[in-house]
Amino acid sequence: MNEQEMYKNQKRKIRSTGISWRLFGTLALFVLLVLIVIWIFQIVLLNDFYEESMLEEFSSTDDEIFSNLGNEGAMADAAYKRSVETDTCIILFKVVEGSAEKLANADANMGCILHHLQSDGLARLYSEACANGGVFTQKIESPNENSTAMDSIYVSVRTDSEGQEYILMMDSELVPLRPTVKTLERQFGWIMCILIMGALIIALAISRLICVPIEKMSRSARSLAKGDYSTQFSAVGYREIEELAEALNYATSELAKNDDLQRELIANISHDLRTPLTMIKGYSEVIRDIPGENNPENVQVIIDETERLTELVNDMLDLSKIRSGTRKPEMETLNLTETVRTVLVRYEKLTERDGYDISFEAGEEVYVTADRTMLLQVIYNLINNALNYTGEDKKVSIVQSVWDNKVRISVIDTGEGIAPEDIPYIWDRYYKVDKVHKRAKIGTGLGLSIVKGILEAHSAPYGVESEIGKGSNFWFEMETFRSADDNTLEL
Ligand code: ADP
């Protein structure tokens, strides 16, 4: 099965609901929830709320009138005022020698039950209030047989500081709520239809806004999958999708670069392997075919080229082992300063013969925990590069600087330097700043990627500071001990 068929199969397997239906479902659920809440409050509990608020109003009138307890004129005035404000019938009595004398009689509602009660009815309300701790409420049906009206009655009995008793009676008509509830119920059906339709329209609009750019992007992704690195992800509409498009464009450009690098890598490896092989073949044929050419110089060329080939193959193996994690660092405590010196010994001949000026500044001996062979290779590769790329003065300085519990080794040359835009890539396999792949004088073109692999395996920071025309400073840092016996870190 090829990749395209696999993709199609995968696509067929996707059975999840689309964004518009999900949105619609969520919105419809929300609408239903809101309607249920409104239904409960507006219709089911309407009567309870209505009666509750009426009782609250009675109670506040009671408080207001009796806030003037003892001052009969003020109490009567308050009773008339509240009667008008709250559309309530109010009668205020003063108990004098076993009988009740009216202080105020406000009749706000002509049909009020309170005003139609006989004195025995009023006396019953009074005794109910006394038995109830001073306040009594009751719903009463109209005594008129032709009327279905209901009134809410509130009775309050209070005594002032001098023992004078007052009775406050209030009556408010309970407006029948059934017609209101019926109207609301009818409206509810309509409201529900309109809101559900609205939810559907909103869900469709939002999902269009979200889906159109996503669909555009999946089209682009499909063409990218087919290997078209010129694909551009463009999406407008909202921030997240624009960010995604930007990230995908970045990923595409990186993939394209990687693809180029891969191709370049194969070309370079083939070139580097072919050159020594061609030389070996050529020289061997010359030695075989031309009498007298079997001299030590020609044989030396074959040996040199074989060595170079071995070196190249070893580097490639090293790199692939480090990259794949097969070659793990075997940590030991070692003298870093001494290790640098060991590498420098290898270059003594070069210094004498070609006039290179290699200096090493180290204030003290520092110890680090590292894999000795790997560390040697890092230092060797960095110095090698510095020698390859240094300027006319052939100067290379190695500086060891120590602070806190850290040591930094810097390998500084006076060469051409590296352009800032090339710096991120020089650590890649076979990346060449000048792009023309020429055989390295000493290195194999894999040097910095090996350095990177080793230092990353040691979790050691590394980097380069470079200025065009002035030179480069390749550095790495490690945690250090001050002496070989001191196994504890100085913090
Ligand atoms: P090479 O064998 O080509 O030196 P490396 O991996 O060691 O391979 O380096 C990669 C690239 O980084 C080099 O081709 C070169 O362009 C650049 N480079 C490395 N070291 C230096 C340096 N000291 N000065 C300038 N350029 C450097």
Side-chain angles (χ1 to χ4, degrees), residues 385-386 389 413 418 426 431-433 440 443-448 472 474:
N385 276 352
Y389 297 101
D413 66 62
I418 309 160
I426 56 170
Y431 184 83
K432 294 272 165 191
V433 169
T444 54
L446 296 171
L448 287 184
S472 316
F474 279 83

PDB file of all heavy atoms in Angstrom, residues 385-386 389 413 418 426 431-433 440 443-448 472 474, ligand 1:
ATOM      1  N   ASN A 385      40.033  23.256  13.150  1.00  0.00           N
ATOM      2  CA  ASN A 385      39.301  24.270  12.382  1.00  0.00           C
ATOM      3  C   ASN A 385      39.976  25.619  12.478  1.00  0.00           C
ATOM      4  O   ASN A 385      40.127  26.319  11.472  1.00  0.00           O
ATOM      5  CB  ASN A 385      37.873  24.413  12.913  1.00  0.00           C
ATOM      6  CG  ASN A 385      36.965  23.368  12.316  1.00  0.00           C
ATOM      7  OD1 ASN A 385      37.366  22.646  11.411  1.00  0.00           O
ATOM      8  ND2 ASN A 385      35.756  23.273  12.839  1.00  0.00           N
ATOM      9  N   ALA A 386      40.391  25.982  13.710  1.00  0.00           N
ATOM     10  CA  ALA A 386      41.027  27.284  13.901  1.00  0.00           C
ATOM     11  C   ALA A 386      42.282  27.367  13.025  1.00  0.00           C
ATOM     12  O   ALA A 386      42.532  28.393  12.376  1.00  0.00           O
ATOM     13  CB  ALA A 386      41.372  27.477  15.364  1.00  0.00           C
ATOM     14  N   TYR A 389      41.229  27.784   9.347  1.00  0.00           N
ATOM     15  CA  TYR A 389      40.581  29.030   8.935  1.00  0.00           C
ATOM     16  C   TYR A 389      41.251  30.291   9.451  1.00  0.00           C
ATOM     17  O   TYR A 389      40.765  31.381   9.183  1.00  0.00           O
ATOM     18  CB  TYR A 389      39.102  29.016   9.375  1.00  0.00           C
ATOM     19  CG  TYR A 389      38.324  27.906   8.713  1.00  0.00           C
ATOM     20  CD1 TYR A 389      38.046  26.727   9.388  1.00  0.00           C
ATOM     21  CD2 TYR A 389      37.904  28.032   7.388  1.00  0.00           C
ATOM     22  CE1 TYR A 389      37.353  25.702   8.774  1.00  0.00           C
ATOM     23  CE2 TYR A 389      37.212  27.010   6.772  1.00  0.00           C
ATOM     24  CZ  TYR A 389      36.931  25.841   7.465  1.00  0.00           C
ATOM     25  OH  TYR A 389      36.256  24.829   6.851  1.00  0.00           O
ATOM     26  N   ASP A 413      40.626  32.238  16.650  1.00  0.00           N
ATOM     27  CA  ASP A 413      41.500  32.419  15.481  1.00  0.00           C
ATOM     28  C   ASP A 413      41.333  33.830  14.947  1.00  0.00           C
ATOM     29  O   ASP A 413      40.468  34.575  15.392  1.00  0.00           O
ATOM     30  CB  ASP A 413      41.185  31.366  14.409  1.00  0.00           C
ATOM     31  CG  ASP A 413      39.806  31.544  13.843  1.00  0.00           C
ATOM     32  OD1 ASP A 413      39.534  32.597  13.244  1.00  0.00           O
ATOM     33  OD2 ASP A 413      38.970  30.622  14.024  1.00  0.00           O
ATOM     34  N   ILE A 418      32.749  34.222  10.560  1.00  0.00           N
ATOM     35  CA  ILE A 418      31.573  33.569   9.964  1.00  0.00           C
ATOM     36  C   ILE A 418      30.414  34.562   9.989  1.00  0.00           C
ATOM     37  O   ILE A 418      30.196  35.249  10.990  1.00  0.00           O
ATOM     38  CB  ILE A 418      31.172  32.303  10.771  1.00  0.00           C
ATOM     39  CG1 ILE A 418      32.406  31.405  10.984  1.00  0.00           C
ATOM     40  CG2 ILE A 418      30.069  31.516  10.101  1.00  0.00           C
ATOM     41  CD1 ILE A 418      32.248  30.437  12.124  1.00  0.00           C
ATOM     42  N   ILE A 426      26.501  26.016  10.923  1.00  0.00           N
ATOM     43  CA  ILE A 426      27.836  25.419  10.797  1.00  0.00           C
ATOM     44  C   ILE A 426      27.981  24.130  11.585  1.00  0.00           C
ATOM     45  O   ILE A 426      28.879  23.353  11.334  1.00  0.00           O
ATOM     46  CB  ILE A 426      28.961  26.407  11.228  1.00  0.00           C
ATOM     47  CG1 ILE A 426      28.705  26.877  12.649  1.00  0.00           C
ATOM     48  CG2 ILE A 426      29.101  27.556  10.256  1.00  0.00           C
ATOM     49  CD1 ILE A 426      29.871  27.631  13.222  1.00  0.00           C
ATOM     50  N   TYR A 431      27.917  21.167   6.409  1.00  0.00           N
ATOM     51  CA  TYR A 431      27.537  22.528   6.022  1.00  0.00           C
ATOM     52  C   TYR A 431      28.797  23.308   5.706  1.00  0.00           C
ATOM     53  O   TYR A 431      29.748  23.328   6.468  1.00  0.00           O
ATOM     54  CB  TYR A 431      26.757  23.228   7.136  1.00  0.00           C
ATOM     55  CG  TYR A 431      26.270  24.593   6.711  1.00  0.00           C
ATOM     56  CD1 TYR A 431      25.088  24.716   5.987  1.00  0.00           C
ATOM     57  CD2 TYR A 431      27.017  25.734   6.978  1.00  0.00           C
ATOM     58  CE1 TYR A 431      24.651  25.953   5.562  1.00  0.00           C
ATOM     59  CE2 TYR A 431      26.576  26.975   6.546  1.00  0.00           C
ATOM     60  CZ  TYR A 431      25.404  27.070   5.841  1.00  0.00           C
ATOM     61  OH  TYR A 431      24.980  28.302   5.414  1.00  0.00           O
ATOM     62  N   LYS A 432      28.790  23.922   4.551  1.00  0.00           N
ATOM     63  CA  LYS A 432      29.966  24.703   4.141  1.00  0.00           C
ATOM     64  C   LYS A 432      29.511  26.128   3.929  1.00  0.00           C
ATOM     65  O   LYS A 432      28.562  26.363   3.188  1.00  0.00           O
ATOM     66  CB  LYS A 432      30.513  24.176   2.803  1.00  0.00           C
ATOM     67  CG  LYS A 432      31.056  22.786   2.906  1.00  0.00           C
ATOM     68  CD  LYS A 432      32.495  22.836   3.293  1.00  0.00           C
ATOM     69  CE  LYS A 432      32.953  21.471   3.746  1.00  0.00           C
ATOM     70  NZ  LYS A 432      34.247  21.497   4.363  1.00  0.00           N
ATOM     71  N   VAL A 433      30.212  27.048   4.572  1.00  0.00           N
ATOM     72  CA  VAL A 433      29.799  28.437   4.418  1.00  0.00           C
ATOM     73  C   VAL A 433      29.906  28.859   2.963  1.00  0.00           C
ATOM     74  O   VAL A 433      29.008  29.490   2.409  1.00  0.00           O
ATOM     75  CB  VAL A 433      30.651  29.343   5.328  1.00  0.00           C
ATOM     76  CG1 VAL A 433      30.434  30.791   4.983  1.00  0.00           C
ATOM     77  CG2 VAL A 433      30.315  29.072   6.783  1.00  0.00           C
ATOM     78  N   ALA A 440      38.656  19.300   2.773  1.00  0.00           N
ATOM     79  CA  ALA A 440      39.268  20.011   3.893  1.00  0.00           C
ATOM     80  C   ALA A 440      40.745  19.662   3.945  1.00  0.00           C
ATOM     81  O   ALA A 440      41.142  18.569   3.575  1.00  0.00           O
ATOM     82  CB  ALA A 440      38.593  19.583   5.182  1.00  0.00           C
ATOM     83  N   GLY A 443      40.612  18.524   8.225  1.00  0.00           N
ATOM     84  CA  GLY A 443      39.353  17.942   8.722  1.00  0.00           C
ATOM     85  C   GLY A 443      38.630  17.148   7.656  1.00  0.00           C
ATOM     86  O   GLY A 443      39.095  17.000   6.529  1.00  0.00           O
ATOM     87  N   THR A 444      37.491  16.638   8.044  1.00  0.00           N
ATOM     88  CA  THR A 444      36.724  15.809   7.118  1.00  0.00           C
ATOM     89  C   THR A 444      35.386  16.445   6.759  1.00  0.00           C
ATOM     90  O   THR A 444      34.603  15.852   6.038  1.00  0.00           O
ATOM     91  CB  THR A 444      36.436  14.457   7.778  1.00  0.00           C
ATOM     92  OG1 THR A 444      35.810  14.726   9.023  1.00  0.00           O
ATOM     93  CG2 THR A 444      37.685  13.653   7.996  1.00  0.00           C
ATOM     94  N   GLY A 445      35.136  17.636   7.302  1.00  0.00           N
ATOM     95  CA  GLY A 445      33.855  18.292   7.014  1.00  0.00           C
ATOM     96  C   GLY A 445      32.777  17.864   7.994  1.00  0.00           C
ATOM     97  O   GLY A 445      31.628  18.272   7.891  1.00  0.00           O
ATOM     98  N   LEU A 446      33.153  17.033   8.943  1.00  0.00           N
ATOM     99  CA  LEU A 446      32.164  16.577   9.929  1.00  0.00           C
ATOM    100  C   LEU A 446      32.521  17.077  11.322  1.00  0.00           C
ATOM    101  O   LEU A 446      31.844  16.773  12.298  1.00  0.00           O
ATOM    102  CB  LEU A 446      32.116  15.042   9.950  1.00  0.00           C
ATOM    103  CG  LEU A 446      31.650  14.382   8.673  1.00  0.00           C
ATOM    104  CD1 LEU A 446      31.847  12.883   8.747  1.00  0.00           C
ATOM    105  CD2 LEU A 446      30.185  14.681   8.423  1.00  0.00           C
ATOM    106  N   GLY A 447      33.637  17.850  11.389  1.00  0.00           N
ATOM    107  CA  GLY A 447      34.207  18.236  12.674  1.00  0.00           C
ATOM    108  C   GLY A 447      33.210  18.848  13.640  1.00  0.00           C
ATOM    109  O   GLY A 447      33.041  18.362  14.768  1.00  0.00           O
ATOM    110  N   LEU A 448      32.539  19.921  13.233  1.00  0.00           N
ATOM    111  CA  LEU A 448      31.678  20.628  14.188  1.00  0.00           C
ATOM    112  C   LEU A 448      30.447  19.809  14.574  1.00  0.00           C
ATOM    113  O   LEU A 448      29.962  19.923  15.695  1.00  0.00           O
ATOM    114  CB  LEU A 448      31.264  21.988  13.627  1.00  0.00           C
ATOM    115  CG  LEU A 448      32.368  23.047  13.614  1.00  0.00           C
ATOM    116  CD1 LEU A 448      31.821  24.373  13.121  1.00  0.00           C
ATOM    117  CD2 LEU A 448      32.997  23.238  14.990  1.00  0.00           C
ATOM    118  N   SER A 472      37.140  34.132  14.723  1.00  0.00           N
ATOM    119  CA  SER A 472      36.084  33.440  15.453  1.00  0.00           C
ATOM    120  C   SER A 472      36.596  32.940  16.790  1.00  0.00           C
ATOM    121  O   SER A 472      37.781  32.693  16.963  1.00  0.00           O
ATOM    122  CB  SER A 472      35.578  32.234  14.664  1.00  0.00           C
ATOM    123  OG  SER A 472      35.402  32.575  13.330  1.00  0.00           O
ATOM    124  N   PHE A 474      35.461  29.890  19.129  1.00  0.00           N
ATOM    125  CA  PHE A 474      34.627  28.713  19.408  1.00  0.00           C
ATOM    126  C   PHE A 474      34.855  28.325  20.867  1.00  0.00           C
ATOM    127  O   PHE A 474      36.001  28.209  21.294  1.00  0.00           O
ATOM    128  CB  PHE A 474      35.021  27.542  18.510  1.00  0.00           C
ATOM    129  CG  PHE A 474      34.431  27.646  17.141  1.00  0.00           C
ATOM    130  CD1 PHE A 474      35.045  28.418  16.152  1.00  0.00           C
ATOM    131  CD2 PHE A 474      33.253  26.989  16.826  1.00  0.00           C
ATOM    132  CE1 PHE A 474      34.494  28.524  14.892  1.00  0.00           C
ATOM    133  CE2 PHE A 474      32.702  27.092  15.559  1.00  0.00           C
ATOM    134  CZ  PHE A 474      33.314  27.865  14.585  1.00  0.00           C
TER     135      PHE A 474
HETATM  136  P1  ADP B   1      35.137  21.516   7.917  1.00  0.00           P
HETATM  137  O1  ADP B   1      35.889  20.257   7.763  1.00  0.00           O
HETATM  138  O2  ADP B   1      34.556  22.004   6.646  1.00  0.00           O
HETATM  139  O3  ADP B   1      35.886  22.539   8.675  1.00  0.00           O
HETATM  140  P2  ADP B   1      33.387  21.587  10.205  1.00  0.00           P
HETATM  141  O4  ADP B   1      32.158  20.846  10.560  1.00  0.00           O
HETATM  142  O5  ADP B   1      34.517  21.502  11.140  1.00  0.00           O
HETATM  143  O6  ADP B   1      33.841  21.111   8.762  1.00  0.00           O
HETATM  144  O7  ADP B   1      32.999  23.111  10.000  1.00  0.00           O
HETATM  145  C1  ADP B   1      31.848  23.462   9.283  1.00  0.00           C
HETATM  146  C2  ADP B   1      31.976  24.841   8.643  1.00  0.00           C
HETATM  147  O8  ADP B   1      32.051  25.835   9.652  1.00  0.00           O
HETATM  148  C3  ADP B   1      33.251  25.013   7.856  1.00  0.00           C
HETATM  149  O9  ADP B   1      33.091  24.564   6.551  1.00  0.00           O
HETATM  150  C4  ADP B   1      33.457  26.501   7.921  1.00  0.00           C
HETATM  151  O10 ADP B   1      32.701  27.128   6.921  1.00  0.00           O
HETATM  152  C5  ADP B   1      32.909  26.898   9.259  1.00  0.00           C
HETATM  153  N1  ADP B   1      33.971  27.026  10.269  1.00  0.00           N
HETATM  154  C6  ADP B   1      34.327  26.120  11.206  1.00  0.00           C
HETATM  155  N2  ADP B   1      35.317  26.600  12.002  1.00  0.00           N
HETATM  156  C7  ADP B   1      35.605  27.841  11.542  1.00  0.00           C
HETATM  157  C8  ADP B   1      36.539  28.872  11.944  1.00  0.00           C
HETATM  158  N3  ADP B   1      37.372  28.697  12.968  1.00  0.00           N
HETATM  159  N4  ADP B   1      36.544  30.039  11.245  1.00  0.00           N
HETATM  160  C9  ADP B   1      35.681  30.210  10.228  1.00  0.00           C
HETATM  161  N5  ADP B   1      34.788  29.295   9.797  1.00  0.00           N
HETATM  162  C10 ADP B   1      34.734  28.129  10.438  1.00  0.00           C
END
